[in-house]
């Protein structure tokens, strides 16, 4: 069964550094998402992406964050200047469809654990 | 904004027991997700349902739209079912992936 792949599985970075988290969604999927989960807390929505642009974003997704689909397969999340509070597990997900009447299942990657020191 | 409440927070069961996890939400939705988070952290989508009942193997999910309540049942539980089970609903007015997640129910099944 096709999978969503995330790399790296664990990233350690120093405060103030830029990080790029990478995801390869399922090839025929059209909708892409990033979520984060701070240790011991709920999963939180960050952003959704469709047709090469952001379709929705949460309050968490401020100017420090950006997403890109640089080619036909990768979907990236960039944090420009990391802070200690950015330490979390970041999940990528993709789906074939979206919308009120055409929901399709979400497929999640295994996550990237980001540690900011 | 939709609030999602799950119960119980923690659940310990003996192998073979029937398990029920509950989820309540505050605003009407068009679909609800049940997710499983493995001890290693990865998330798997179990069900997405908008009405009635769905079954997959030993897992059954039900939803009552009028009561804004869903349940996840596991029949003949097994130690490999040990995981965190998460309920999630769409942010009101948002797209499918713009989800509000519950805190999760941590299930531990003892042999």
């Amino acid at each position: 069964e096709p999978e969503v792949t995330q790399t790296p599985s664990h990233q350690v970075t120093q405060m103030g550094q830029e990080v790029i988290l990478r995801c390869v969604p399922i090839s025929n999927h059209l909708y892409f998402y990033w979520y984060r989960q701070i240790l011991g807390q709920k999963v939180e929505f960050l952003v959704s992406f469709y047709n090469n642009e952001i379709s929705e974003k949460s309050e968490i997704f401020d100017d420090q964050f950006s997403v890109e689909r640089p080619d036909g397969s990768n979907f990236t999340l960039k944090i420009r200047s990391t802070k200690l509070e950015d330490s979390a597990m970041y999940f990528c997900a993709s789906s074939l469809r979206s919308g009120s009447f055409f929901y399709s299942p979400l497929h999640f990657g295994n996550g990237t654990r980001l540690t900011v020191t | 904004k939709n609030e999602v409440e799950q119960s119980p927070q923690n659940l310990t069961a003996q192998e073979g027991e029937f398990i029920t996890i509950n989820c309540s939400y505050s605003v009407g939705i068009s679909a609800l997700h049940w997710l499983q988070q493995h001890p290693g952290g990865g998330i798997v989508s179990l069900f997405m349902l908008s009405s009635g009942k769905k079954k997959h193997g030993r897992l059954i999910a039900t939803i009552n739209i009028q009561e804004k309540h869903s349940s996840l049942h596991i029949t003949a539980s097994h130690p490999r079912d040990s995981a965190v089970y998460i309920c999630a609903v769409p942010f009101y007015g948002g797209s499918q992936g713009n989800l509000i997640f519950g805190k999760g129910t941590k299930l531990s099944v003892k042999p």
Side-chain angles (χ1 to χ4, degrees):
Chain A
E1 185 175 317
E3 290 183 340
V4 175
T5 306
Q6 288 188 244
T7 55
S9 55
H10 192 187
Q11 171 106 35
V12 181
T13 190
Q14 287 193 322
M15 197 167 54
Q17 295 296 305
E18 173 185 286
V19 293
I20 298 176
L21 309 183
R22 301 180 192 279
C23 170
V24 180
I26 293 174
S27 61
N28 65 335
H29 283 187
L30 301 175
Y31 297 84
F32 314 110
Y33 313 93
W34 283 102
Y35 303 91
R36 80 169 185 192
Q37 185 178 33
I38 295 170
L39 187 63
Q41 297 188 22
K42 294 189 287 189
V43 179
E44 299 171 290
F45 168 78
L46 291 178
V47 66
S48 60
F49 191 85
Y50 169 70
N51 201 26
N52 278 324
E53 60 183 28
I54 291 172
S55 47
E56 288 169 292
K57 60 183 181 179
S58 70
E59 293 172 351
I60 303 167
F61 194 89
D62 62 21
D63 292 342
Q64 294 293 328
F65 292 91
S66 62
V67 289
E68 195 178 34
R69 189 152 161 82
D71 52 43
S73 59
N74 289 285
F75 178 50
T76 61
L77 174 69
K78 182 192 292 185
I79 308 175
R80 189 150 40 99
S81 178
T82 50
K83 303 188 278 281
L84 294 176
E85 53 265 38
D86 293 326
S87 294
M89 182 78 98
Y90 289 82
F91 293 100
C92 171
S94 68
S95 66
L96 181 59
R97 292 186 294 266
S98 182
S100 299
F101 300 103
F102 301 103
Y103 282 89
S104 60
L106 290 171
H107 295 256
F108 288 83
N110 283 331
T112 293
R113 183 168 299 284
L114 176 65
T115 302
V116 182
T117 62
Chain B
K1 182 183 173 180
N2 216 339
E3 301 290 334
V4 180
E5 298 290 336
Q6 284 187 241
S7 63
Q9 270 190 282
N10 293 283
L11 184 53
T12 300
Q14 287 298 126
E15 184 173 355
E17 284 185 2
F18 181 83
I19 305 286
T20 295
I21 298 169
N22 296 298
C23 175
S24 297
Y25 51 92
S26 55
V27 178
I29 58 169
S30 49
L32 177 143
H33 298 257
W34 279 105
L35 310 167
Q36 180 191 55
Q37 186 166 28
H38 300 147
I43 294 175
V44 173
S45 178
L46 298 176
F47 294 103
M48 183 184 61
L49 68 166
S50 55
S51 65
K53 178 166 112 172
K54 284 192 175 181
K55 185 175 189 291
H56 186 254
R58 294 180 295 104
L59 300 178
I60 303 166
T62 63
I63 189 167
N64 185 319
I65 296 291
Q66 286 73 32
E67 294 186 6
K68 299 185 178 62
H69 181 268
S70 176
S71 293
L72 177 68
H73 306 284
I74 305 175
T75 61
S77 59
H78 190 275
R80 64 174 174 267
D81 297 326
S82 298
V84 176
Y85 293 84
I86 301 171
C87 166
V89 300
F91 183 85
Y92 184 72
S95 66
Q96 173 190 300
N98 187 346
L99 295 172
I100 298 172
F101 295 79
K103 290 182 180 178
T105 294
K106 185 173 182 181
L107 172 65
S108 177
V109 182
K110 307 290 186 192

